[in-house]
């Protein structure tokens, strides 16, 4: 059974890019499923960038119509 928001295609849900000594990791956060976590762990362990920055498709906290108190 697929969970709502589950990432079924990691190529569409996650991205990694490097510039200079920084590697960025974009994560789909509607549902942070085990394959995505495994992908991130593999990416983090395989890079030797001095800076590693993970960011989310959606912010972890919001204010307004989607208040996340």
């Amino acid at each position: 059974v697929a969970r709502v928001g589950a990432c079924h295609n990691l190529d569409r849900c996650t991205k990694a890019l490097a510039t200079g000594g920084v590697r960025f990791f974009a994560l789909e956060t509607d549902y942070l499923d085990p394959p995505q976590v495994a992908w991130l762990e593999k990416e983090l362990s395989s890079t030797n960038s001095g800076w590693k920055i993970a960011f989310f498709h959606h912010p972890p906290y919001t204010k307004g119509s989607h208040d996340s108190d």
Side-chain angles (χ1 to χ4, degrees), residues 25-53:
F25 306 93
L27 304 169
E28 171 56 63
T29 54
D30 283 336
Y31 176 66
L32 196 57
D33 58 356
Q36 191 176 179
V37 172
W39 170 85
L40 180 60
E41 289 173 342
K42 179 182 173 204
E43 288 287 324
L44 288 171
S45 67
S46 67
T47 184
N48 59 359
S49 295
W51 286 83
K52 300 169 187 86
I53 300 172

